Amino acid sequence: MILVNLRETSLLILCSILICNFSVVRSDKYNHACGRDNSVNYTSNSLYKRNLDTAQANLISAADTNSSGFYTTSVGNGLDQVNALVYCRDDVQPDICRSCVKDSMNELRELCPSTKEADIWYDECVLRYSNASIFNNVETWPTVLISVQRNASDMDQFNKNLRELLDKLKGEATQQKFATGSASGPDFTTIYGLMQCSPDLSSTQCTRCLDGLMGNIQLCCSGKIGGRIINPSCLLRFTTNDLFYNETVADAPPPQPQPPPTSQSAPVPDDNNTRTIIIVVVVIVGIVVMLLVLVCIFKRKQKKRPATETLLNDNVEDIGSAESLQYDFGTIEVATNYFSESNKLGQGGFGAVYKGTLQNGEEIAVKRLSRGSNQGQQEFINEVLLVAKLQHRNLVRLLGFCFEGTEELLIYEFVPNASLDHFIFDSVKRSCLDWEIRYKIIGGIARGILYLHEDSRLRIIHRDLKASNVLLDAEMNPKIADFGMARLFNLDETQGITNRIVGTYGYMAPEYAMYGQFSVKSDVFSFGVLVLEILSGQKNHSFQNGENVEDLASFAWKNWREGTPANVIDPILRNSSGSIHEMIRCIHIALLCVQENVADRPTMASVVLMLNSFSHTLAVPSEPAFFMPSRIGQEVSSATDNTNSRGSNRSVNSKVNSVKYSINEASITDPYPR
Ligand SMILES: *[C@@H]1O[C@H](CO)[C@@H](O)[C@H](O)[C@H]1NC(C)=O
Ligand SMILES: *[C@@H]1O[C@H](CO)[C@@H](O)[C@H](O)[C@H]1NC(C)=O
Ligand SMILES: *[C@@H]1O[C@H](CO)[C@@H](O)[C@H](O)[C@H]1NC(C)=O
Ligand SMILES: *[C@@H]1O[C@H](CO)[C@@H](O)[C@H](O)[C@H]1NC(C)=O
Ligand SMILES: *[C@@H]1O[C@H](CO)[C@@H](O)[C@H](O)[C@H]1NC(C)=O
């Protein structure tokens, strides 16, 4: 029944996109669309696919050799012709443009694996391909509207200022296909704007396209302090106090009122002397007034937001974000019904989580931190700003933060369907997860981790990946929670050795559990365990095989070696319509991830590749860490042989051993004072 409902919802969403010709999305990082018409598909061994491969290579090599920032290619003829184009923002550096071209192409093909037509928008570039002719045309489907939730202090004034700015930018963009600029908004704010047209459009096409976008402002963004409206052919974006483009490249410096040259030339005739004096006086008065205004602005900010004040000095870009991410404590109290028990969603490793509903109806999840005082507030804010920038559809989005006295709250988007463990370990709900859904979940988790590891600017190692940290949205897409916690809790991310273990035994790689050595490969290990759990529907520790209690990886390995991998698969799946071949391939990938030798484990990038491409041959897995040859109580495996090499780790080590022999989920030692 649940599934039927899901299908209906997605159908509804699809319909509304098709009928209304636009969709409202709130993700900031990127958007994509897999073509208007789902029936225009290609298959994996078609000519179209080969042409697309060539087109991809062409674009990437064009970006490598040419720094113009706009690349097109056409490969093949007739129905199988691939037309592709990509354009970067004029103000991004060539190397960033290059990597955007590469990433966007890879990501789009992953997101839209079989549609002939697809578009993707990144902050830095836009990529499109299609079998239809896409050059020199204005394409307005889909138009995507994105807005920041916050209202401007004086919405009418803001709308007026914004309109003026956008009109001005449109004039410039028509000529250059790109324009940026700023204008003053209400209450001493600055509005920054950007407009861009696909460089192949003519001036009139560009104007028409931008007019179309501006016509939508009322729909999404009226009075909002930030927003974006995009379609495949053009885009516009604005923010308040957040300079998001590179001013030095994009803009000639804003024209300053220059004192007329006469004031500098030697004063000769008497007549001109009085004029010079007047000008000098005017200039001086102007400077004094400007200083006064600056002092006022500074005072205001100081009064309003002591927490973000020091940001003023060193990081102009973040002022806007810090303000727009900070929530009022009273608002959150009301939203969560004063942190009532009935609103409590659960207790995570870093504090309790409550559900809340803001006045505008938006649902949020509030994490009430038990952080101790090992980090200054300012440092904490800085980290929140960084982590909030990590936006991916497989990550739970951090919306903001809130302080009041000793209270520290993190505000997240609310994800409706609880966490994965509520489904896979529940004998009834488990049957809702057919193979198609489980496979989608596995793929989504992999992409989310890949983003954390490689694609985001921060390179984050999750360190506590497990079923209860994977949330499911209304369409059962997985969203990883609790990432970036090491940063927020001031555990050094760049250092590879820590004496504070964050994580859950059973999911932790041996080198991390025992020696505190973490790397992206320790996340890969946890991912492998998670995949085995999703496949088998059994918890790693309480895994039961007849009379034996052993860990899941050992069980999978043993069956793998004996040629009976199907034994690992959840009986519900074994008898379903799902592809056994795919399931066994997933077991294979999981076994590669839990290998004892860190270097043998694949990176998340290759995991994603293996999951996507069946032609990719897989390596033969070696023995997993913690492998137990047969029954409980046997020799400790090789992974723990070095027990005494680091005396201080002995207590951790003995815990690891006990995990192997205990069927209860061992929880971690609490590294933080509560
Ligand atoms: C085309 O592919 C999409 C997913 O990529 C799928 O939903 C759709 O059903 C496919 N259409 C046909 C006709 O196979
Ligand atoms: C880069 O590509 C553009 C558009 O295709 C072309 O006009 C320009 O001459 C190229 N520049 C170089 C250095 O090849
Ligand atoms: C694109 O491909 C689809 C299906 O293969 C075909 O129906 C359509 O006519 C093609 N479009 C163009 C412009 O070739
Ligand atoms: C923003 O303004 C609109 C219109 O006045 C109002 O309905 C909405 O509740 C406001 N939103 C917030 C978050 O204040
Ligand atoms: C802005 O552009 C200038 C000139 O190309 C460059 O030197 C600078 O590094 C850029 N700044 C950023 C933040 O990309």
Side-chain angles (χ1 to χ4, degrees):
M1 223 180 78
I2 294 177
L3 290 185
V4 172
N5 279 337
L6 286 181
R7 296 253 153 80
E8 268 170 17
T9 337
S10 30
L11 212 66
L12 213 69
I13 292 171
L14 195 69
C15 289
S16 68
I17 291 176
L18 293 180
I19 294 167
C20 311
N21 213 27
F22 66 83
S23 56
V24 180
V25 182
R26 227 188 305 120
S27 150
D28 243 59
K29 175 63 184 170
Y30 65 81
N31 284 275
H32 77 280
C34 298
R36 188 191 312 239
D37 187 353
N38 259 337
S39 66
V40 185
N41 282 4
Y42 64 90
T43 55
S44 56
N45 50 11
S46 62
L47 179 56
Y48 193 83
K49 160 132 191 330
R50 289 199 296 280
N51 287 342
L52 191 52
D53 290 340
T54 311
Q56 175 166 4
N58 287 353
L59 288 184
I60 291 173
S61 85
D64 273 340
T65 51
N66 184 324
S67 58
S68 67
F70 172 54
Y71 313 101
T72 62
T73 183
S74 281
V75 182
N77 297 303
L79 289 184
D80 292 310
Q81 184 173 58
V82 174
N83 299 297
L85 79 83
V86 56
Y87 53 99
C88 287
R89 243 166 57 188
D90 284 13
D91 63 324
V92 306
Q93 304 291 307
D95 54 331
I96 293 177
C97 177
R98 256 195 307 277
S99 68
C100 194
V101 171
K102 212 153 107 196
D103 293 349
S104 59
M105 199 70 204
N106 285 330
E107 180 134 24
L108 187 53
R109 293 197 59 183
E110 208 175 89
L111 291 166
C112 307
S114 61
T115 55
K116 285 190 165 182
E117 192 180 310
D119 313 273
I120 192 165
W121 294 264
Y122 272 78
D123 262 358
E124 294 86 8
C125 68
V126 177
L127 164 73
R128 315 169 52 193
Y129 58 73
S130 171
N131 70 326
S133 160
I134 53 173
F135 308 127
N136 313 312
N137 270 336
V138 175
E139 174 59 82
T140 58
W141 188 93
T143 298
V144 180
L145 316 176
I146 302 168
S147 72
V148 170
Q149 288 305 294
R150 209 156 184 254
N151 286 338
S153 53
D154 179 344
M155 293 168 69
D156 290 337
Q157 182 63 35
F158 182 87
N159 285 343
K160 187 164 159 286
N161 297 142
L162 176 65
R163 171 66 60 173
E164 281 165 12
L165 172 64
L166 293 183
D167 280 338
K168 183 183 108 196
L169 292 181
K170 192 179 79 182
E172 287 170 30
T174 301
Q175 301 308 316
Q176 308 292 325
K177 311 290 157 56
F178 182 80
T180 55
S182 60
S184 315
D187 277 336
F188 306 112
T189 54
T190 306
I191 310 172
Y192 295 96
L194 177 149
M195 281 187 169
Q196 184 170 23
C197 286
S198 182
D200 55 322
L201 298 189
S202 70
S203 300
T204 40
Q205 284 175 322
C206 180
T207 309
R208 181 152 61 84
C209 190
L210 291 172
D211 277 336
L213 296 187
M214 287 170 68
N216 284 317
I217 287 183
Q218 202 58 32
L219 276 174
C220 67
C221 310
S222 174
K224 303 288 184 220
I225 60 164
R228 299 184 200 202
I229 307 179
I230 56 184
N231 70 32
S233 295
C234 60
L235 51 94
L236 79 80
R237 176 177 178 190
F238 65 93
T239 62
T240 299
N241 288 355
D242 179 10
L243 177 57
F244 61 93
Y245 52 84
N246 186 339
E247 241 178 345
T248 46
V249 185
D251 250 5
Q256 298 290 337
Q258 294 282 337
T262 43
S263 67
Q264 281 157 335
S265 63
V268 189
D270 264 51
D271 213 22
N272 270 354
N273 243 348
T274 39
R275 228 218 227 128
T276 311
I277 290 168
I278 291 173
I279 288 166
V280 168
V281 168
V282 166
V283 167
I284 290 176
V285 168
I287 290 173
V288 168
V289 167
M290 251 170 69
L291 278 176
L292 280 176
V293 167
L294 278 177
V295 166
C296 282
I297 294 177
F298 192 71
K299 279 251 165 83
R300 255 181 105 84
K301 296 232 151 133
Q302 228 173 8
K303 235 194 249 160
K304 257 170 57 187
R305 297 187 192 283
T308 59
E309 176 218 329
T310 53
L311 282 175
L312 277 171
N313 307 329
D314 45 39
N315 198 339
V316 178
E317 192 188 14
D318 279 338
I319 301 173
S321 339
E323 290 188 345
S324 58
L325 291 183
Q326 184 157 16
Y327 284 69
D328 172 55
F329 187 71
T331 308
I332 301 298
E333 271 187 325
V334 171
T336 58
N337 199 7
Y338 297 88
F339 300 103
S340 73
E341 269 311 298
S342 60
N343 280 43
K344 193 164 170 178
L345 293 170
Q347 176 78 37
F350 298 91
V353 182
Y354 297 83
K355 180 177 175 178
T357 311
L358 295 177
Q359 254 175 357
N360 62 6
E362 190 186 0
E363 292 184 314
I364 52 174
V366 179
K367 188 182 283 263
R368 200 174 191 180
L369 295 180
S370 38
R371 207 170 61 92
S373 55
N374 59 353
Q375 191 181 22
Q377 204 168 54
Q378 189 53 52
E379 211 179 323
F380 181 71
I381 294 174
N382 291 342
E383 292 303 331
V384 170
L385 292 179
L386 287 174
V387 172
K389 281 187 177 156
L390 296 175
Q391 290 175 21
H392 186 272
R393 62 190 195 131
N394 296 116
L395 298 182
V396 176
R397 187 161 168 211
L398 178 59
L399 300 174
F401 64 96
C402 171
F403 289 121
E404 176 84 5
T406 57
E407 286 275 8
E408 288 170 347
L409 310 175
L410 290 177
I411 321 292
Y412 288 94
E413 71 171 316
F414 177 72
V415 184
N417 263 341
S419 51
L420 183 58
D421 56 331
H422 285 99
F423 284 85
I424 49 171
F425 303 139
D426 183 298
S427 52
V428 177
K429 285 192 189 155
R430 195 157 84 217
S431 54
C432 300
L433 300 186
D434 63 13
W435 174 242
E436 201 187 324
I437 294 182
R438 291 195 209 193
Y439 196 53
K440 181 171 85 170
I441 292 174
I442 292 173
I445 298 171
R447 280 194 297 274
I449 310 172
L450 174 61
Y451 174 80
L452 288 177
H453 284 182
E454 292 188 15
D455 295 339
S456 74
R457 281 175 272 186
L458 299 179
R459 233 185 132 74
I460 285 202
I461 298 169
H462 190 296
R463 299 213 245 168
D464 195 12
L465 200 61
K466 55 183 170 181
S468 57
N469 271 339
V470 175
L471 308 185
L472 297 171
D473 74 4
E475 278 138 56
M476 302 302 260
N477 292 305
K479 284 176 178 281
I480 299 171
D482 259 5
F483 55 87
M485 279 304 173
R487 291 191 76 101
L488 296 176
F489 281 80
N490 200 20
L491 306 185
D492 196 348
E493 269 288 323
T494 53
Q495 191 184 324
I497 296 188
T498 177
N499 52 12
R500 287 191 279 194
I501 310 273
V502 190
T504 306
Y505 285 111
Y507 287 96
M508 276 198 285
E511 73 277 5
Y512 181 38
M514 287 188 284
Y515 308 120
Q517 295 171 345
F518 63 87
S519 67
V520 290
K521 294 292 184 74
S522 22
D523 278 354
V524 170
F525 183 95
S526 311
F527 173 77
V529 174
L530 193 49
V531 169
L532 290 175
E533 289 184 331
I534 294 172
L535 269 156
S536 65
Q538 300 251 24
K539 278 190 190 167
N540 184 32
H541 307 307
S542 52
F543 177 74
Q544 200 131 11
N545 172 38
E547 293 205 327
N548 296 347
V549 178
E550 57 190 338
D551 78 77
L552 195 48
S554 305
F555 178 74
W557 163 250
K558 221 167 17 178
N559 277 291
W560 181 264
R561 217 177 29 182
E562 284 159 18
T564 53
N567 286 348
V568 180
I569 299 168
D570 185 348
I572 297 173
L573 293 181
R574 244 181 278 167
N575 306 325
S576 74
S577 59
S579 151
I580 287 283
H581 175 65
E582 260 174 20
M583 298 178 205
I584 290 180
R585 196 176 159 86
C586 281
I587 298 176
H588 190 162
I589 294 170
L591 283 172
L592 291 173
C593 293
V594 297
Q595 291 177 106
E596 182 174 353
N597 186 343
V598 178
D600 289 347
R601 293 178 211 151
T603 59
M604 281 320 291
S606 30
V607 168
V608 167
L609 192 67
M610 290 186 250
L611 285 170
N612 281 324
S613 134
F614 282 80
S615 53
H616 193 89
T617 44
L618 306 185
V620 178
S622 62
E623 204 166 275
F626 301 131
F627 173 57
M628 258 192 305
S630 67
R631 295 192 52 142
I632 314 168
Q634 277 227 342
E635 262 316 290
V636 173
S637 75
S638 59
T640 56
D641 278 348
N642 309 321
T643 318
N644 295 319
S645 61
R646 292 171 64 100
S648 60
N649 285 316
R650 208 176 307 162
S651 65
V652 175
N653 211 345
S654 63
K655 251 208 152 110
V656 175
N657 293 343
S658 73
V659 167
K660 295 176 55 182
Y661 306 117
S662 149
I663 59 169
N664 295 323
E665 184 158 347
S667 203
I668 62 167
T669 48
D670 190 351
Y672 309 109
R674 285 271 152 86

